[in-house]
Each structure stands twice: as C-alpha cells, then as structure tokens.
Amino acid sequence: LYCVDAASGETIWSHYTEGPIRLAPTLAHGNVYFGSDDGHAYCLRASDGAEVWKMRVGPKDDRLLSRGEMISRWPVRTGVLVDGETAYFGAGVFPHEMVFLCAVNAKDGTIVWRNETISQQNAGRNDLSPQGYTLCSEANFFVPSGRSLPVAISKQTGEIVFQEQYSWRTDAGGVVGGTKALLGDGQVYAGGPHHFLAMDQQTGDVGESWINGRQMVLADDLAYIMTGEKIICVNRSEHSAASQEKQKWFLKARSFRSDPEKLAEARKKMDEYAEVGIVWEFASDFDDVLIATGNLVIAGGMNQVVALDRSNGQKVWEQTVTGNVRGLAVSNGLLTVSTDEGHIYAFSKAAQAQQVVQH
C-alpha cells in the first residue's frame, strides 16, 4: 500500500503485506483501513503508515497457491467499511471451507461480533463468497458475493437478514450477481454482467427496477449508466417504473417464442420502455468505471478517460492513458486514474484536465 503526495506523486510511505491488496483503502479516524489476500485486515495511521492494529480473520495461517502467488485460505477481499466507531469486513472465498464476517472497534480492532457459522448452514451449501466493496444502511451491512446476490447482515448481531436467489429466467430477468452493488432509493442495486436488479434494503423483495447497464452511478434524481454501447442519463423514477413494464414484456416474450408476430410485438414494447426517462445519451463502448462529480460524469475505458457535462452529456474533455482504466477518484479538484497496466495518473483543472503527475 502506497501513500503518495497528491501534487507530485512522490511516495510518503509504503506498507508491505504478504498478499495482494485488491480494493482501495478506507480513510476514517485519521487511519487507513484495508484488507489483504494474506488473510489480514489492517489499520494504519494515515500520517506515517504506522500499524494501529492488524487482525487475522481465519482460524490459522493456512496458505495456498492462487495465480502464481501464495495467499491465505481466507483472504480479505471485501475491503474494510467504517461506519461510525465500527469497521466491517469479510474473509474467505470458498464457501465449503468457511467464510467469515466481522465487526470490530475501528480504533483498536477489538471484536464486536464475528459470524463464522455461515458456511455451516444448509450442509455447507451457502454460496456466500464475500468479495467487493461492502455497503451499509442504518440497520444492515451488505456483502457482495462472487457470483450471487448481495447478502444483508444485521449490523447489530452479524446474523443474516436476507439472502435471496432470484431466478434469472423469471424474477431477475437475466444473470445477476457479483461484486458490484450500490444503495439508493431504499433499494440494493445488485449488478450483473448486463443489468442491475433492485431489491428492497429491508426485506430483499425484488421488483423496483431492472435497469440495463454494466456500471451505474446515482446522483440527485438521476442515474448515469454505462451500457457498453453508450453512456446515458436517466430520470431514475421514470426509468425504474418503465423497467418494470419492460420486464413484464420480457417474460411475455419468453412465452411467445413460437408466435413470431407476438414475439415481435413484445420486443418492440421492450425497446419502447427501455427509452422512457432518458435525458441524454453519449455514444461510448466504455464499460469499466464511471463516477459523477458536482458538474461532470467521468468515464474510463481502454486507454482513455472522458468527462461529460452532467446536464447535457456534451464532452468537456478527454485524456489518453496507458491501459484499461480500473479506478477513478476526485478530491480537492484532483482527478486520479488507475489502470490495469500499473499506472496512476493525476489530473487537475477539470475543465482542461491538465496532467499533473504519472506514478
């Protein structure tokens, strides 16, 4: 893990772990929190990188070979979410070999609760594999899973509140599940390869919306969505309501396969409802990462970053980078961009996107 000067890119301090650090760290209480494939959750002092606390989540220091590197049998691939005085994280990727969910005191690492019984449920057939950025509401902690829908966990007790498995052939409308999820409108939006499924944050009930897209950002009453063919801005309530109607025609289309005329009608209706609520569109094959600032939507793809005016979708600027963009962040007028080629770029003056430094 590196801490660098934002203006120059010079390294201030670094910290070595015995496995890959897969997710960006969390900053809170003057500390830096993150998880590693070495099986530990870490808390370092932000100013100098000194270790505040470190916790091995699994029962012992078992290692195994993964893509040419030795990692813990119970890697921490959720990152560490800090909410108030409590830090939440999970460990383990193989449900049949146990997974763990933990809540600890964020300042000293003492355990608040630890759920290590999930893999024992249903004769070891619980498919939770905690991976990706976790989320929380007032009552629940939401854990994305490798190939299934996010699981809601009680922040108070660590027990499962709901764990849904909606059929892609009916309720979900397609393959849904994985490490992408976000919260908004009282819903958990679970991202799949091609669309987002909304579930009620309290009950897990499905039905609020089925939104086509590979990446999504919620801002005010709008949603910004990457489809792999374009970036669109939609009125969220209108688009969500229309997506419910579109889903009804999707299910009808499945039953009309032997009737070409009815099938054509169903597909036409699906296309019509897919257009409802769209404010603007921008042609783009990007599908990797998307963020929104106060006035811009910034998208990353292969060897390029583009910024669009949030109000009308017009391109404000674009920049070339080396590699496929994997991370975007904005703070204090500085845009940082990371790529799968191992580069980190910093840009300032958003209107002109002048490069400050490459690390």
Side-chain angles (χ1 to χ4, degrees):
L1 182 75
Y2 292 90
C3 172
V4 303
D5 184 279
S8 68
E10 295 297 320
T11 298
I12 298 173
W13 56 258
S14 63
H15 186 89
Y16 177 80
T17 74
E18 296 180 3
I21 301 168
R22 298 183 181 272
L23 300 177
T26 300
L27 305 179
H29 305 298
N31 298 324
V32 182
Y33 301 83
F34 62 98
S36 169
D37 271 13
D38 66 8
H40 291 84
Y42 291 84
C43 173
L44 309 180
R45 195 162 58 211
S47 59
D48 58 9
E51 186 176 292
V52 178
W53 56 261
K54 170 183 172 182
M55 175 182 169
R56 188 186 72 209
V57 185
K60 52 186 175 180
D61 191 21
D62 274 4
R63 303 290 174 112
L64 49 80
L65 190 63
S66 173
R67 297 183 179 181
E69 297 191 30
M70 298 301 294
I71 68 167
S72 168
R73 189 176 295 275
W74 301 280
V76 178
R77 293 185 177 177
T78 62
V80 179
L81 182 149
V82 178
D83 182 41
E85 301 291 311
T86 307
Y88 302 88
F89 47 88
V93 292
F94 308 114
H96 62 282
E97 292 190 355
M98 297 184 68
V99 297
F100 301 85
L101 298 177
C102 298
V104 304
N105 182 289
K107 294 182 178 179
D108 61 21
T110 55
I111 294 176
V112 177
W113 52 254
R114 173 187 175 98
N115 188 336
E116 54 188 30
T117 65
I118 294 172
S119 300
Q120 299 170 15
Q121 298 173 8
N122 303 321
R125 291 191 291 269
N126 191 309
D127 64 355
L128 175 60
S129 177
Q131 299 180 65
Y133 293 106
T134 54
L135 310 162
C136 74
S137 63
E138 184 176 349
N140 295 333
F141 167 51
F142 299 94
V143 184
S145 186
R147 296 182 180 178
S148 54
L149 292 168
V151 177
I153 306 295
S154 167
K155 287 167 61 177
Q156 184 173 7
T157 66
E159 297 300 312
I160 293 177
V161 176
F162 64 78
Q163 182 175 16
E164 303 295 347
Q165 296 179 331
Y166 294 113
S167 169
W168 72 272
R169 296 181 181 275
T170 54
D171 308 89
V175 178
V176 179
T179 59
K180 291 183 297 185
L182 61 158
L183 301 182
D185 313 313
Q187 306 290 309
V188 184
Y189 290 93
H194 304 294
H195 75 283
F196 286 83
L197 173 70
M199 300 185 298
D200 186 275
Q201 288 183 23
Q202 296 182 333
T203 65
D205 290 346
V206 69
E208 174 71 18
S209 57
W210 293 261
I211 297 178
N212 288 347
R214 300 181 181 181
Q215 306 291 340
M216 182 166 68
V217 173
L218 309 182
D220 300 323
D221 296 327
L222 304 174
Y224 301 92
I225 303 166
M226 273 182 172
T227 68
E229 297 179 346
K230 53 192 175 182
I231 300 170
I232 63 175
C233 169
V234 302
N235 178 294
R236 206 153 68 239
S237 60
E238 294 178 5
H239 198 68
S240 293
S243 77
Q244 298 177 45
E245 298 303 314
K246 184 188 69 176
Q247 173 66 6
K248 293 175 183 178
W249 283 101
F250 167 83
L251 297 177
K252 289 180 181 180
R254 295 185 59 83
S255 64
F256 292 160
R257 287 178 176 176
S258 59
D259 189 328
E261 186 175 336
K262 288 186 177 181
L263 180 59
E265 179 191 9
R267 288 176 173 171
K268 181 182 177 181
K269 288 291 187 180
M270 288 170 62
D271 290 341
E272 290 175 357
Y273 282 115
E275 297 298 314
V276 173
I278 292 181
V279 179
W280 55 254
E281 299 182 357
F282 177 84
S284 172
D285 61 0
F286 290 1
D287 63 1
D288 292 291
V289 61
L290 184 71
I291 63 172
T293 70
N295 61 334
L296 297 175
V297 177
I298 304 173
M302 180 60 74
N303 300 320
Q304 195 175 32
V305 180
V306 63
L308 310 177
D309 188 309
R310 270 184 56 176
S311 65
N312 56 27
Q314 296 298 308
K315 183 166 63 177
V316 178
W317 55 258
E318 62 183 353
Q319 280 289 337
T320 299
V321 295
T322 301
N324 213 3
V325 176
R326 290 296 188 226
L328 295 170
V330 171
S331 179
N332 297 324
L334 196 73
L335 167 69
T336 53
V337 181
S338 63
T339 77
D340 62 359
E341 292 288 332
H343 299 286
I344 299 177
Y345 299 81
F347 299 96
S348 67
K349 298 180 181 178
Q352 293 81 34
Q354 299 297 314
Q355 183 171 331
V356 177
V357 65
Q358 176 182 343
H359 186 71

